[in-house]
Amino acid sequence: KIKPDVVSGVPKDQAEKLREAGIPAVTVSYTDWDYNVLETYDGWIKLFDQIFGESTTTEKVSQYSKEAYELIQGKVSTIAEEDKKKVLFLFNYDENTITTSGPKHYGQYWAEAIGAINVGQDSVEPETIAINMEQIYKWNPDVIILTNFTSAQPEDLYNNAIGGDDWSTINAVKNGEVYKMPLGLYRTYTPGSDTPVTLQWLAKTVYPELFEDVNIIDVTKDYYKTYHNIDMTEEQIKNMYNPPRESAKGA
């Protein structure tokens, strides 16, 4: 009834039916780039550039992402293999479930991009994997990153507040290295408009001594102003990097 010029974000079978009905439709894939977050984001903006018409911002964003990645690589390439931090991405965590990233999921990319080790990289399950505390004790991660697909917060691990699980012997907990991923225009564990900034935040969070010169507040302000024409306030940036439990609603 509304006669759209194009429909996006629908599964392939629905897109095919819409096209058969004479309505242009596209499917936006999140797996075509093998969970490479930057390449996926790059592919998405180029796709929508074709749909909406050429934008002068598209190539600039792509170049910014590449430069941010290369800057990080230049620093983390100096980290010896034995000094790389082991990172556990808690994709979901509640009284009944603990899941993390396998070797074919976004956590693997994030870890490799900042010179760290995804503790789930050797799993036979490629994508998200269900684990238990016994496995986490064996991995003993140096850093734990909570996504916004779970309502769990860092203090829940520090206080053993979920399901009677005891995190007290885990290095990340003992050393205060449990962090919640930012909540920008969307949940930042997945590709999206926040990706270039998320990459820099994660690198600085895991290896603060290597990225002392990166002021993430300035980086954030400049990025959203330059590429999204958004003047972020200090309060908005503070909220972005300290998302509430409610950010997981609807996940």
Side-chain angles (χ1 to χ4, degrees):
K1 289 181 180 179
I2 62 175
K3 298 180 180 179
D5 295 311
V6 63
V7 176
S8 69
V10 292
K12 287 184 177 181
D13 57 342
Q14 290 185 24
E16 289 173 1
K17 290 179 180 178
L18 287 166
R19 287 193 290 269
E20 289 172 2
I23 301 172
V26 295
T27 298
V28 182
S29 174
Y30 62 91
T31 59
D32 281 359
W33 294 272
D34 292 327
Y35 292 100
N36 182 308
V37 183
L38 282 186
E39 287 186 6
T40 302
Y41 176 45
D42 205 41
W44 287 353
I45 59 176
K46 287 177 179 176
L47 169 64
F48 283 105
D49 196 35
Q50 293 177 48
I51 294 172
F52 294 111
E54 292 185 3
S55 166
T56 57
T57 306
T58 300
E59 191 54 44
K60 291 178 182 178
V61 172
S62 179
Q63 185 61 33
Y64 177 86
S65 297
K66 291 173 184 174
E67 289 174 357
Y69 177 81
E70 289 168 2
L71 173 68
I72 290 169
Q73 295 311 298
K75 295 191 176 187
V76 300
S77 61
T78 63
I79 304 173
E81 193 65 29
E82 62 271 18
D83 294 329
K84 290 183 177 181
K85 290 189 178 180
K86 297 181 296 180
V87 181
L88 168 67
F89 288 88
L90 278 180
F91 180 70
N92 210 333
Y93 177 43
D94 57 31
E95 292 82 357
N96 304 309
T97 306
I98 310 177
T99 61
T100 189
S101 170
K104 279 287 187 180
H105 210 251
Y106 299 122
Q108 183 69 28
Y109 172 81
W110 286 124
E112 291 180 351
I114 62 164
I117 297 170
N118 168 31
V119 293
Q121 67 180 10
D122 296 324
S123 171
V124 295
E125 307 229 3
E127 298 184 358
T128 54
I129 55 176
I131 56 174
N132 55 32
M133 290 304 297
E134 292 302 317
Q135 180 61 69
I136 295 172
Y137 293 144
K138 290 178 182 177
W139 283 334
N140 195 16
D142 302 304
V143 179
I144 296 174
I145 303 292
L146 294 155
T147 78
N148 284 296
F149 288 91
T150 176
S151 63
Q153 297 285 91
E155 59 264 29
D156 293 328
L157 275 64
Y158 293 134
N159 298 322
N160 294 328
I162 298 178
D165 296 331
D166 183 6
W167 294 85
S168 62
T169 62
I170 303 297
N171 282 342
V173 173
K174 290 193 294 184
N175 297 324
E177 297 267 12
V178 182
Y179 307 98
K180 188 80 171 180
M181 292 197 82
L183 181 68
L185 297 175
Y186 185 61
R187 298 174 179 125
T188 57
Y189 177 71
T190 61
S193 297
D194 311 293
T195 288
V197 171
T198 303
L199 179 62
Q200 295 173 79
W201 169 84
L202 189 61
K204 185 177 177 67
T205 297
V206 176
Y207 294 114
E209 67 285 352
L210 281 180
F211 295 94
E212 289 180 334
D213 59 329
V214 176
N215 185 318
I216 200 64
I217 302 300
D218 290 345
V219 166
T220 303
K221 276 187 174 181
D222 180 68
Y223 173 75
Y224 289 100
K225 175 60 179 176
T226 302
Y227 301 106
H228 297 284
N229 199 28
I230 298 172
D231 286 303
M232 291 191 73
T233 65
E234 294 285 340
E235 187 67 20
Q236 287 173 324
I237 294 174
K238 178 183 176 182
N239 291 337
M240 175 178 173
Y241 290 109
N242 295 277
R245 296 183 189 279
E246 290 73 22
S247 63
K249 283 187 176 179

